Amino acid sequence: MVRTGLSALLIIGTWATAGLTQASAAGSPSSAGPQASAGIVTAMQRDLGLTKSQAEARLTAEKRATALQGKAHSAAGASFGGSWFDAGSGKLTVAVTDSAKAGAVRATGAQTRVVAHTARELDAVKSKLDALSAPDGVSSWHVDPRANSVVVNVVASEQGDNDVRAFVAKARQAGPVTVKQTAEAPKTFAAGTVGGDPYYTGNVRCSIGFSVHGGFVTAGHCGQAGGAVRGWDGTAIGNFQGSSFPGNDYAWVNVGSGWWTVPVVLGWGTVSDQLVRGSNEAPIGASVCRSGSTTHWHCGNVLAKNETVNYSQGAVHQMTKTSVCAEPGDSGGSFISGDQAQGVTSGGWGNCSGGGQTWHQPVNEILNRYGLTLHTA
């Protein structure tokens, strides 16, 4: 059984497991190495409707696109308008405002699209929106390089609300803004404490995101600095050394008392355990998978980056939005693309029966904030 297998694994060390909370809040390119696990490929087949060969080809193309981002950005210079992975062509697409730069960008191996606004201009518009107070009917907002606009997501049932309309009006005054509808308001994935999950703090259960040297990273809404953390068996693991929520949704926990870390994302008996080999950030449009203690492995695509999410507890900034589903009990868990760590699960809407969207806090931001080093294979 999965529970038995997990028990045995945790006895010999702390795993960079996946799972979202069950509480009140739900570098350089890597060198050629082992291919993604069969479990990742299987999950992509199930969730993205791909064949085995298509999934493997996409992972190869995404790895190439991820490695290309920095070089292509430099080639675009000040005309850079953002970039994304095009699943149809299997290439990185780079938006540029100066057509004279397109040739230099294409020489790197990327595709180009000429647009009106630079990424710097769009980021400035988003910053103006971040300074506004958003009503509950406004779900989130982010820069969309494909639309060359800042997209504001509004809960469909609340689009006629006066406060929502006032926010949208102010947003449009800031610059190029596109309004889209979303089915539900975002929430962190939380639930009452239940047994059989990777760790507990207070009356909250969460899961390990990724191992770092000296501990692990997870979601900030899982606990506050100083809070004690217990393992699945009730024994002490360590304490929250730092935590931020809202504003951010990240935290890290030190590991001791006989526990230690390994560079692995647990497959929960559904797929093979996945080794973590780095944290190169996948582009918009790339596939990404999530491991969670409630819903196990699920995959989807990166939909947006640097999105501000308007939770009921307050706004959280610089989040990555995905089409991966999640449910209560999955908070803090691992988002991974191939063998590259992406982030820790924060929250979203929907479930894994009817579908939904989930946000994660990028792992590199957490590492930089606390001066941590990812534990890699």
Side-chain angles (χ1 to χ4, degrees):
M1 295 177 61
V2 174
R3 174 67 174 79
T4 302
L6 177 62
S7 302
L9 292 174
L10 289 179
I11 287 173
I12 64 170
T14 302
W15 288 77
T17 313
L20 282 137
T21 323
Q22 281 211 339
S24 75
S28 61
S30 61
S31 59
Q35 297 298 310
S37 73
I40 292 266
V41 173
T42 299
M44 290 176 66
Q45 289 177 253
R46 178 195 63 200
D47 294 335
L48 298 179
L50 303 175
T51 65
K52 181 176 183 291
S53 60
Q54 287 173 333
E56 291 173 339
R58 178 159 173 173
L59 285 170
T60 298
E62 288 174 352
K63 186 174 183 179
R64 187 184 307 115
T66 298
L68 189 63
Q69 289 181 108
K71 187 177 180 180
H73 187 166
S74 296
S79 74
F80 179 71
S83 62
W84 61 94
F85 176 76
D86 186 326
S89 65
K91 291 187 176 182
L92 184 73
T93 300
V94 177
V96 294
T97 57
D98 183 357
S99 58
K101 292 287 187 179
V105 174
R106 286 195 293 270
T108 69
Q111 300 177 145
T112 59
R113 179 186 297 176
V114 178
V115 296
H117 307 288
T118 66
R120 184 183 296 273
E121 291 170 343
L122 295 177
D123 285 341
V125 174
K126 180 183 176 293
S127 293
K128 292 179 181 179
L129 271 62
D130 286 344
L132 300 176
S133 177
D136 291 343
V138 176
S139 172
S140 62
W141 52 95
H142 68 275
V143 171
D144 184 347
R146 288 168 292 195
N148 197 227
S149 174
V150 174
V151 172
V152 176
N153 296 293
V154 173
V155 179
S157 61
E158 300 292 330
Q159 59 183 330
D161 179 82
N162 287 337
D163 290 339
V164 171
R165 295 174 68 177
F167 180 91
V168 169
K170 291 179 180 178
R172 293 190 188 282
Q173 293 174 5
V177 165
T178 301
V179 178
K180 294 185 177 180
Q181 295 183 14
T182 187
E184 300 177 30
K187 61 182 181 300
T188 50
F189 289 110
T193 300
V194 299
D197 295 289
Y199 78 85
Y200 296 89
T201 176
N203 66 343
V204 174
R205 77 166 171 91
C206 289
S207 292
I208 296 164
F210 292 98
S211 289
V212 296
H213 290 287
F216 63 83
V217 294
T218 187
H221 69 259
C222 291
Q224 298 181 344
V229 173
R230 309 183 308 279
W232 65 269
D233 59 353
T235 62
I237 295 179
N239 298 82
F240 280 90
Q241 299 298 301
S243 178
S244 179
F245 179 80
N248 306 292
D249 194 4
Y250 51 59
W252 84 279
V253 175
N254 69 321
V255 166
S257 303
W259 295 70
W260 62 89
T261 64
V262 292
V264 169
V265 172
L266 191 64
W268 290 92
T270 302
V271 299
S272 301
D273 296 344
Q274 178 66 44
L275 289 174
V276 177
R277 300 186 182 277
S279 58
N280 292 324
E281 187 176 339
I284 292 171
S287 64
V288 67
C289 296
R290 181 191 56 73
S291 175
S293 60
T294 296
T295 57
H296 304 161
W297 274 97
H298 285 277
C299 298
N301 299 310
V302 177
L303 299 178
K305 295 185 179 183
N306 191 23
E307 181 154 33
T308 299
V309 181
N310 190 34
Y311 291 130
S312 61
Q313 297 94 334
V316 176
H317 306 285
Q318 297 178 316
M319 302 274 270
T320 297
K321 180 163 67 176
T322 75
S323 62
V324 187
C325 68
E327 295 181 10
D330 286 330
S331 280
S334 320
F335 265 89
I336 189 166
S337 182
D339 56 11
Q340 300 295 304
Q342 298 299 304
V344 300
T345 308
S346 174
W349 60 267
N351 55 52
C352 290
S353 297
Q357 296 177 341
T358 304
W359 286 270
H360 68 73
Q361 185 87 63
V363 70
N364 287 332
E365 180 183 356
I366 309 172
L367 300 177
N368 292 334
R369 169 62 179 83
Y370 294 119
L372 301 170
T373 300
L374 187 69
H375 191 170
T376 58

